[in-house]
Amino acid sequence: MTIQEAAQRSGLTAHTLRYYERIGLIPSVGRNVSGHRDYAERDLEWLRFLTKLRTTGMPIADMCRYADLSRQGPHTAPERKAMLEQHRERVEARIAELTQDLSVLNHKIDSYGGHA
């Protein structure tokens, strides 16, 4: 699929896709006979995973490290797993913070009672 199709299906912009490729988050994307990027379904699966990492707050540098390890092969699985476990801990801590913040907001809202 073209970069525009990949952008549409992934929810990312073509600019972001080019940026991700430039910094090494996306492995070299195949090219068609015209020399244009030709994204495969596996590229979209990888982009979905990257999007989850990004939306859960993983820094780009960590994402690049993870991508690099992934390209190195299965022998890096323990390090990749450790990275994801550490990230999960950060996400869980952030969820706990947000839960507390939500509780404060709910308490404040409830304090207004019947006021409009």
Side-chain angles (χ1 to χ4, degrees):
M1 73 195 78
T2 68
I3 193 167
Q4 296 304 329
E5 292 167 327
Q8 184 177 28
R9 289 188 55 196
S10 69
L12 301 168
T13 65
H15 175 77
T16 298
L17 294 177
R18 287 185 200 95
Y19 171 69
Y20 278 7
E21 189 176 354
R22 189 171 59 253
I23 65 172
L25 274 178
I26 303 173
S28 293
V29 175
R31 301 287 176 147
N32 63 21
V33 292
S34 303
H36 296 106
R37 288 173 178 84
D38 189 15
Y39 288 84
E41 196 60 41
R42 73 179 184 289
D43 296 320
L44 287 181
E45 290 170 18
W46 179 247
L47 288 169
R48 283 190 275 280
F49 178 66
L50 291 177
T51 299
K52 295 300 181 195
L53 293 178
R54 193 72 193 118
T55 59
T56 56
M58 182 178 271
I60 293 282
D62 289 352
M63 291 170 61
C64 287
R65 175 73 180 139
Y66 186 91
D68 181 53
L69 288 170
S70 183
R71 280 190 294 278
Q72 290 179 37
H75 70 280
T76 65
E79 189 172 352
R80 286 182 279 145
K81 180 182 179 190
M83 285 185 74
L84 293 177
E85 289 171 339
Q86 290 171 351
H87 183 60
R88 178 179 61 194
E89 289 174 14
R90 290 189 300 266
V91 169
E92 288 172 342
R94 184 66 180 134
I95 289 170
E97 287 175 23
L98 288 171
T99 299
Q100 288 178 339
D101 294 346
L102 181 59
S103 178
V104 169
L105 285 172
N106 286 333
H107 177 73
K108 187 63 175 177
I109 290 167
D110 291 346
S111 74
Y112 285 103
H115 297 83

